[in-house]
Amino acid sequence: MRGTLGANTVKIGDGSHFEKMNELSHKSVTSISLETFDPTAFIADENIPQEVCNFVLALALAYNDVKDATEAWHRLKQHDPPGQFRKQVDFGMQAGKKVHLVRYQVGLVNEICELIRRSERIISHSSLQFSIRQMSKKSRAAWYSLVDTATGKLRTGPLAQAVTRIRQKVIFHYDSAEIFNGYKRHFFDGTIAKDQAYISRGNTMAESRFYFADAAAEGYLDIRSGEGQATAIAENIIGAMRDANLAIMQLVNSFIQKRFPYDRVS
C-alpha cells in the first residue's frame, strides 16, 4: 500500500525547517503587540507609483500564504498516528494531507516566482531599492537569491531546482491528462507497479478519502521532479522559503514604515 498510504510517502525530513520558521507557534500570540498604519501606504503618490504599491501588497499576501502553509505542516506533523506504519485509514488520511501540503507549497513558490518575473522593472524602483537596503545582510542575500531564481539568473540551489524541475499543472490546477500520467506512474510503472488502489467510504467528508487520487498527485510530482526526488525537492523548498519569506517580511515592513510609522494598539 504505497502512495498516500505508504510508509515511505511524503516523508519530508524531520520538520525542522518548518519548526525553525514557526518558533512563534510555540509562544502565545497574545504577547505580540498589535499595530496599525495608515492604509494609504498602498496608495500611489508623486514619489511612488501604484504598480510599486501593488507589488508590495502582493508580496505581503504571499508572505501570509507561505507562513500559513508552514504552520499547517508543523501542526499536521504533531498529529501523526502513533506507532509503526499500518495500512489503515488514519495513516492514509495523514499521508494524503501531506501530499496536498507539498503540492501547495511547491505551487506557492511557482506563483511567487511568477510575480517576481512579471515585476523586474518594478523591483528596480528607487523606493523598493531603499527598502531592500534596509534588510539584514542575511535577508538581503535571500531576497536576491529569490529574485535571481525567479528570473532565471540563478540555476543552482533548492529554489532554482524546484522552479525548473517542478511546474504547475497538477500543483494548483486539475489537468486531467497530467493527473492520469501520475496515476499510471504510481500504479503501473516502475518498482511500485501492481499496487492496489485505496478508498475509504464514510458518511461525511471527514470519514471519506480517495487515496488513489493522492497517489496520482504524488506520481505526477515524481514525474516532474525525477525518479524519487519529489519529497527531497519539497524538503529543500521548505528550508529555502524560510529565509526568503523572512526577507519578504522585512521588505514589506520597511516599505510601510518609510511611508507611515506604525502605531501600537493600546
Side-chain angles (χ1 to χ4, degrees):
M1 191 183 291
R2 278 278 317 258
T4 55
L5 283 179
N8 298 325
T9 300
V10 200
K11 186 178 180 182
I12 313 298
D14 60 2
S16 60
H17 291 315
F18 280 101
E19 291 164 11
K20 288 178 182 178
M21 186 173 176
N22 278 280
E23 291 175 353
L24 287 177
S25 66
H26 299 290
K27 302 176 182 178
S28 172
V29 295
T30 58
S31 65
I32 303 171
S33 298
L34 188 63
E35 297 174 296
T36 66
F37 64 91
D38 190 326
T40 59
F42 288 100
I43 302 297
D45 60 18
E46 64 276 11
N47 297 315
I48 301 179
Q50 189 59 48
E51 61 182 0
V52 171
C53 297
N54 294 350
F55 175 68
V56 179
L57 183 59
L59 284 180
L61 182 59
Y63 167 83
N64 285 349
D65 289 345
V66 173
K67 175 184 181 298
D68 290 346
T70 299
E71 180 78 9
W73 178 268
H74 176 74
R75 292 184 181 279
L76 183 62
K77 281 187 65 66
Q78 292 177 335
H79 293 88
D80 279 343
Q84 293 295 317
F85 170 78
R86 296 181 296 280
K87 295 180 179 181
Q88 59 190 45
V89 168
D90 54 346
F91 282 89
M93 291 278 191
Q94 185 77 345
K97 292 173 184 177
K98 288 180 178 179
V99 168
H100 183 191
L101 283 178
V102 168
R103 290 168 54 213
Y104 183 64
Q105 188 82 7
V106 172
L108 281 178
V109 171
N110 276 297
E111 288 291 308
I112 292 169
C113 286
E114 179 59 29
L115 170 66
I116 291 171
R117 277 194 294 271
R118 296 194 309 264
S119 308
E120 276 194 89
R121 178 180 54 81
I122 296 171
I123 293 171
S124 66
H125 191 272
S126 59
S127 61
L128 281 182
Q129 290 301 307
F130 175 85
S131 295
I132 291 168
R133 289 194 297 272
Q134 303 309 303
M135 292 180 183
S136 68
K137 183 177 180 180
K138 180 179 179 180
S139 287
R140 192 161 54 250
W143 170 256
Y144 287 138
S145 178
L146 176 61
V147 171
D148 288 347
T149 295
T151 56
K153 297 174 184 175
L154 180 63
R155 299 186 181 277
T156 59
L159 275 179
Q161 183 183 44
V163 169
T164 56
R165 296 179 69 183
I166 298 181
R167 294 298 179 183
Q168 293 281 74
K169 295 205 172 179
V170 82
I171 303 299
F172 274 162
H173 308 300
Y174 299 108
D175 185 308
S176 56
E178 295 291 351
I179 292 171
F180 174 70
N181 286 337
Y183 183 88
K184 186 170 66 172
R185 157 72 178 81
H186 182 88
F187 289 107
F188 301 105
D189 297 341
T191 59
I192 57 174
K194 299 182 180 180
D195 189 17
Q196 294 296 302
Y198 287 87
I199 181 176
S200 58
R201 296 186 296 158
N203 295 319
T204 66
M205 283 193 293
E207 298 169 335
S208 306
R209 193 172 188 96
F210 299 127
Y211 305 106
F212 60 88
D214 294 325
E218 186 193 4
Y220 171 83
L221 285 172
D222 276 340
I223 290 172
R224 301 304 295 176
S225 63
E227 185 70 25
Q229 294 299 307
T231 55
I233 289 177
E235 186 176 41
N236 288 338
I237 288 173
I238 292 161
M241 281 309 298
R242 179 193 65 221
D243 293 336
N245 214 35
L246 290 174
I248 290 172
M249 179 185 71
Q250 289 188 21
L251 190 155
V252 173
N253 273 330
S254 176
F255 178 83
I256 295 171
Q257 291 184 74
K258 183 177 184 295
R259 306 198 73 192
F260 293 97
Y262 289 139
D263 291 320
R264 181 166 296 184
V265 176
S266 58

